[in-house]
Amino acid sequence: MSSWANMLEGKVAVVTGASRGLGRADALALAEAGADVVITDILIESDDDSKQEAQKLGPLSQVLQSTKVVYAEKTAQEIQAMGRRSFAIKMDVTDLEQVKEVFAKVKEEFGSLDILVNNAGTLDHTAQIEKQRDDFWERDLKVNLTGAYNCAKAVWPYMKEQGWGRIINMASVAGTLGGFGQSSYSTTKSGLLGFTKSLALEGARHGINVNAIVPGIIATEAFKMGNPKMNERMIERTAFKRPGEPEDIANAITFLCSDKAKYITGIGLNVSGGIELFTF
Ligand SMILES: NC(=O)c1ccc[n+]([C@@H]2O[C@H](COP(=O)([O-])OP(=O)(O)OC[C@H]3O[C@@H](n4cnc5c(N)ncnc54)[C@H](O)[C@@H]3O)[C@@H](O)[C@H]2O)c1
């Protein structure tokens, strides 16, 4: 029987989009549970090209880049200070070749690749269908859906060979409930739930568990920069009448990555403060 303390000791995790927000919190929680953690993102503090990358990513990333809300390297240092191995590396999830290169480096340096958290995502715009920008539609599909596919595909051979793996896909209640003005975003998040179930079926024979987290409203920088009136309305819909904290997501992920959750696969776990419940 494994113990709750250090339940991820000896495991190596890669978190995508971990420069801030939920990805950063996930990385810290996995490290606290004993894992070595590689921080990947398209925005890294020391990267000379990060302004251009932020430009490509859209309005939110431009603001966060210019206000220096990028903590990939700081997070890696915090993890090292806990006594775990960690490094931060630039990785665009839409670039399969780059993903393969980074994973090969992780395997070479840390010896295995046990946990993948597909967290990278775009949540920077809302627009009704007639005003939806076509390039943002394409980008959302590419980052949120193809990005998760690329990373899962690239990590699969390592996990299969080890006979053990955990993949967590970051969905959203926008994918289960829909979201006004969020056609592209919610399409990708629904898609991730189907992707999770199919991979869970394929992974079971190899010891690879694949699950999704379905967050509700979580108080990250990205959320705080959203439309205040819309945010208020969403908070009002939760049973708790408050947004969740990044740690609420990170705790659920840590559990799902552990052997405590070895019989759980193919689920979408709501961590949503009951936003999907019928309240009146
Ligand atoms: N915050 C919420 O309320 C909430 C709710 C539901 C789901 N989610 C999901 O959780 C995840 C994290 O959300 P967050 O609130 O921390 O947002 P965030 O914008 O702070 O984090 C997303 C990260 O992904 C990175 N990224 C974007 N495109 C990338 C690419 N091509 N390659 C690599 N990295 C890339 C960004 O640079 C950023 O660091 C997202 O998938 C989001 O859809 C968040």
Side-chain angles (χ1 to χ4, degrees):
M1 194 69 178
S2 60
S3 91
W4 287 94
N6 289 332
M7 60 186 172
L8 297 181
E9 189 89 59
K11 301 296 183 199
V12 175
V14 172
V15 183
T16 71
S19 266
R20 59 179 192 249
L22 299 186
R24 173 177 143 82
D26 299 343
L28 289 169
L30 293 171
E32 212 177 290
D36 298 319
V37 188
V38 177
I39 311 294
T40 70
D41 203 291
I42 203 168
L43 299 175
I44 302 279
E45 290 100 313
S46 59
D47 178 20
D48 295 336
D49 296 333
S50 63
K51 264 202 188 109
Q52 274 162 301
E53 297 293 358
Q55 208 70 26
K56 260 197 325 205
L57 272 173
L60 175 70
S61 287
Q62 287 159 33
V63 174
L64 294 177
Q65 204 272 345
S66 64
T67 49
K68 303 210 178 309
V69 187
V70 176
Y71 307 111
E73 285 168 350
K74 271 186 223 144
T75 309
Q77 285 158 12
E78 280 175 52
I79 291 172
Q80 287 162 6
M82 293 178 197
R84 316 288 176 215
R85 294 178 297 175
S86 183
F87 62 87
I89 187 163
K90 184 169 166 166
M91 186 179 87
D92 181 346
V93 295
T94 67
D95 182 342
L96 180 59
E97 287 315 306
Q98 199 179 67
V99 170
K100 282 184 182 167
E101 274 170 34
V102 169
F103 288 4
K105 184 178 159 72
V106 174
K107 169 79 176 171
E108 195 186 313
E109 292 203 8
F110 288 177
S112 68
L113 218 174
D114 309 292
I115 294 167
L116 166 68
V117 182
N118 273 325
N119 167 80
T122 55
L123 55 170
D124 58 0
H125 76 288
T126 51
Q128 293 178 52
I129 183 82
E130 288 167 297
K131 291 204 170 143
Q132 168 71 45
R133 275 176 51 176
D134 298 340
D135 57 339
F136 276 9
W137 169 271
E138 294 294 342
R139 184 209 56 180
D140 289 356
L141 259 61
K142 218 170 152 194
V143 175
N144 301 354
L145 215 40
T146 309
Y149 163 78
N150 284 344
C151 293
K153 191 167 188 182
V155 85
W156 203 260
Y158 298 109
M159 292 183 171
K160 193 171 152 184
E161 195 191 354
Q162 290 159 192
W164 197 99
R166 294 284 187 270
I167 299 178
I168 306 289
N169 295 317
M170 199 64 98
S172 168
V173 290
T176 50
L177 306 176
F180 190 87
Q182 287 191 305
S183 58
S184 58
Y185 181 74
S186 62
T187 299
T188 63
K189 296 301 181 179
S190 293
L192 278 177
L193 291 168
F195 182 61
T196 299
K197 290 182 206 298
S198 295
L199 287 197
L201 285 167
E202 293 177 24
R205 69 195 64 180
H206 305 299
I208 306 173
N209 295 27
V210 186
N211 291 296
I213 296 283
V214 185
I217 307 305
I218 313 296
T220 60
E221 295 94 342
F223 168 72
K224 288 175 196 159
M225 293 185 69
N227 178 327
K229 279 201 180 135
M230 192 168 148
N231 287 355
E232 267 316 303
R233 282 205 303 276
M234 291 192 292
I235 289 168
E236 195 48 38
R237 273 196 59 169
T238 66
F240 295 129
K241 308 292 178 205
R242 61 175 169 79
E245 297 300 324
E247 291 68 31
D248 295 322
I249 301 298
N251 291 338
I253 288 180
T254 304
F255 166 67
L256 286 177
C257 289
S258 75
D259 276 328
K260 300 285 182 198
K262 65 183 190 304
Y263 203 57
I264 302 177
T265 198
I267 65 160
L269 177 61
N270 285 2
V271 185
S272 61
I275 199 170
E276 65 285 346
L277 302 174
F278 179 63
T279 52
F280 58 100

Coordinates of all heavy atoms in Angstrom, one line a residue, residues 21 255-256:
G21 N -0.4 30.6 -13.8 CA -1.7 30.0 -13.6 C -1.8 28.6 -13.2 O -1.0 28.2 -12.3
F255 N -3.7 13.7 -7.2 CA -4.3 12.5 -6.8 C -4.5 11.5 -8.1 O -4.1 10.4 -8.0 CB -5.7 12.8 -6.2 CG -6.6 11.6 -6.1 CD1 -6.3 10.5 -5.3 CD2 -7.8 11.5 -6.9 CE1 -7.1 9.4 -5.2 CE2 -8.6 10.3 -6.9 CZ -8.3 9.3 -6.0
L256 N -5.0 12.1 -9.2 CA -5.2 11.3 -10.4 C -3.8 10.7 -10.9 O -3.8 9.7 -11.6 CB -5.9 12.1 -11.5 CG -7.4 12.3 -11.3 CD1 -7.9 13.2 -12.4 CD2 -8.2 11.0 -11.2

